[in-house]
């Protein structure tokens, strides 16, 4: 698509790193279906064939929640996107190519069936004696974490590597309360962002790799002399929805990849570049290390500051992935 801003720009200051920033979600905007639907679904199928349990896990006993997710998603898609989703008995035809997904396939986990319908990754959280844990997930597009290391773990442990969010922190307590108090009729959303040097969607990152990166001398992640030309901004739109029947919580993640170079071409680019530079400057050392920005921040901030001071272009840039 051309002539529009990226779908979400939390890096403009509207969504800050290392803050929860939860906002109400209008269910009309719950699932994002756009021109990249076929690309995402094809990539999910490819990754599942290659990586299997590294992109899908489910604990025994989570089937009811999985089925509830599938039913809610199918109903939502048929209601809001009738040209792209058409039901024929127990089969859903999806997208312009008419790919078929059987909704009653007993040989397939219901959550994986649901994941084959939408670009979003789907994570099912369940409350137990140890708090809310990751009970099942279809995670084809991880943003620097590994599903096998988080499976079955409670929220405090899942967020342990995040500065200020691990077990026993104030942020961990706030997140637990948010999950406890979430209502089925009050879904919520937030945004997160990171940087990468290409368009790769599948970016798993293990604890050992994170430790190695933290202990090693920082190395640039953005190739070449021009970080603006090299960088892709990875935006995660995250939603939380309490399931009315099982009481489980569905956490969805939709990935967008924004090439940073659009800021040089869009009339609002200089303003967004200034806000982006301010966000990068505000990060402390642990936060920089966690995000992997340590080696790139200074030159990226300089480039963004220069862009912010440049005259605004008259033309509009293409929007992104």
């Amino acid at each position: 698509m051309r002539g529009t801003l990226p779908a979400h720009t939390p890096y403009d200051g509207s969504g800050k790193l290392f803050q929860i920033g939860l906002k109400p979600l209008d269910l009309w905007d719950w699932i994002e279906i756009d021109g990249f639907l076929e690309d995402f679904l094809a990539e999910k199928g490819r990754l599942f064939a290659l990586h299997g349990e590294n992109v899908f896990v489910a604990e025994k006993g989570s089937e009811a929640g999985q089925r509830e997710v599938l039913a809610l998603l199918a109903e939502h898609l048929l209601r809001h996107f009738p040209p792209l989703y058409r039901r024929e008995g127990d089969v859903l035809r999806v997208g312009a190519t008419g790919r078929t997904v059987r909704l009653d396939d007993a040989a397939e986990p219901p959550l994986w069936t649901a994941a084959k319908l939408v670009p979003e990754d789907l994570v099912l959280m369940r409350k137990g004696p140890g708090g809310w844990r990751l009970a099942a997930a279809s995670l084809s597009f991880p943003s620097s974490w590994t599903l096998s290391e988080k499976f079955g773990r409670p929220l405090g442990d899942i967020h342990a590597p995040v500065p200020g969010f691990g077990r026993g922190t104030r942020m961990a307590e706030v997140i637990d309360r948010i999950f406890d108090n979430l209502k089925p009729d009050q879904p919520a959303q937030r945004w997160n962002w990171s940087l990468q040097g290409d368009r790769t969607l599948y970016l798993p990152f293990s604890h050992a790799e994170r430790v190695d990166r933290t202990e090693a001398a920082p190395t640039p992640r953005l190739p070449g002399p021009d970080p603006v030309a090299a960088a892709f901004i990875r935006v995660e739109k995250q939603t939380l929805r309490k399931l009315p029947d099982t009481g489980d919580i569905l956490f969805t993640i939709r990935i967008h990849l924004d090439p940073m170079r659009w800021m040089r071409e869009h009339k609002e680019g200089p303003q967004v570049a200034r806000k982006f530079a301010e966000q990068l400057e505000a990060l402390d050392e642990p936060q920089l290390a966690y995000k992997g920005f340590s080696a790139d921040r200074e030159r990226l901030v300089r480039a963004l500051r220069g862009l912010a001071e440049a005259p605004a272009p008259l033309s509009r840039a293409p929007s992104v992935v």
Side-chain angles (χ1 to χ4, degrees):
M1 296 180 291
R2 299 187 67 86
T4 59
L5 284 165
H8 305 290
T9 55
Y11 42 87
D12 67 358
S14 58
K16 299 184 184 300
L17 292 178
F18 303 100
Q19 295 184 12
I20 297 172
L22 211 61
K23 298 179 180 180
L25 169 69
D26 184 335
L27 280 180
W28 183 269
D29 301 319
W30 178 36
I31 301 298
E32 296 192 348
I33 304 299
D34 54 27
F36 301 103
L37 173 64
E38 295 293 341
D39 294 336
F40 274 74
L41 295 183
E43 182 67 356
K44 280 189 178 186
R46 186 186 75 84
L47 290 168
F48 185 76
L50 283 175
H51 300 292
E53 62 184 19
N54 291 322
V55 298
F56 185 87
V57 293
E59 67 180 34
K60 188 175 181 179
S62 65
E63 292 81 8
Q66 294 184 53
R67 287 192 294 270
E68 191 172 3
V69 169
L70 177 57
L72 281 175
L73 262 182
E75 188 276 333
H76 178 88
L77 296 170
L78 288 165
R79 173 179 295 183
H80 293 288
F81 306 100
L84 289 174
Y85 293 88
R86 305 167 304 282
R87 186 158 188 166
E88 299 174 1
D90 290 320
V91 171
L92 213 59
R93 291 195 174 273
V94 180
T97 63
R99 69 172 65 226
T100 59
V101 177
R102 289 203 62 88
L103 301 178
D104 63 344
D105 189 345
E108 188 170 85
L111 192 66
W112 174 241
T113 301
K116 293 195 296 184
L117 301 174
V118 294
E120 283 79 357
D121 280 332
L122 308 175
V123 179
L124 191 67
M125 304 297 295
R126 169 161 288 187
K127 183 70 177 288
W132 291 91
R133 70 183 184 279
L134 196 162
S138 171
L139 186 77
S140 296
F141 313 125
S143 298
S144 298
W145 58 289
T146 300
L147 183 56
S148 60
E149 293 183 347
K150 309 296 185 181
F151 179 45
R153 309 286 289 182
L155 283 167
D157 292 347
I158 289 173
H159 293 132
V162 185
F165 279 75
R167 182 187 293 272
T169 63
R170 185 182 69 83
M171 285 298 195
E173 295 173 358
V174 171
I175 293 173
D176 281 335
R177 287 199 298 271
I178 289 171
F179 273 66
D180 286 340
N181 296 326
L182 194 68
K183 308 296 185 206
D185 60 346
Q186 296 176 347
Q189 63 184 333
R190 69 180 297 270
W191 289 266
N192 193 17
W193 61 265
S194 59
L195 295 173
Q196 60 189 76
D198 57 31
R199 292 181 176 272
T200 303
L201 286 168
Y202 180 64
L203 287 177
F205 202 60
S206 69
H207 174 69
E209 288 172 319
R210 191 175 300 282
V211 170
D212 288 344
R213 187 175 72 183
T214 301
E215 294 179 348
T219 57
R221 298 172 62 196
L222 304 177
D226 183 356
V228 171
F232 287 82
I233 312 161
R234 186 182 182 97
V235 179
E236 299 174 67
K237 177 193 173 184
Q238 304 173 353
T239 77
L240 291 170
R241 185 172 182 182
K242 181 77 169 286
L243 304 182
D245 294 337
T246 60
D248 294 342
I249 289 177
L250 177 65
F251 175 53
T252 73
I253 310 165
R254 173 64 198 272
I255 301 296
H256 296 271
L257 291 176
D258 300 349
M260 191 181 288
R261 63 180 180 271
W262 75 266
M263 294 184 195
R264 287 182 168 146
E265 303 165 1
H266 197 285
K267 69 177 184 178
E268 296 180 33
Q271 178 181 352
V272 175
R274 177 176 58 82
K275 291 289 188 180
F276 197 176
E278 291 172 359
Q279 285 219 50
L280 286 169
E281 288 176 318
L283 298 178
D284 61 27
E285 287 303 321
Q287 292 168 341
L288 279 173
Y290 174 78
K291 284 290 187 178
F293 296 169
S294 299
D296 292 298
R297 178 172 66 173
E298 296 307 320
R299 67 191 188 111
L300 189 52
V301 166
R302 285 196 301 271
L304 288 167
R305 289 292 185 190
L307 198 159
E309 294 168 4
L314 297 177
S315 62
R316 287 185 173 267
S319 140
V320 264
V321 197

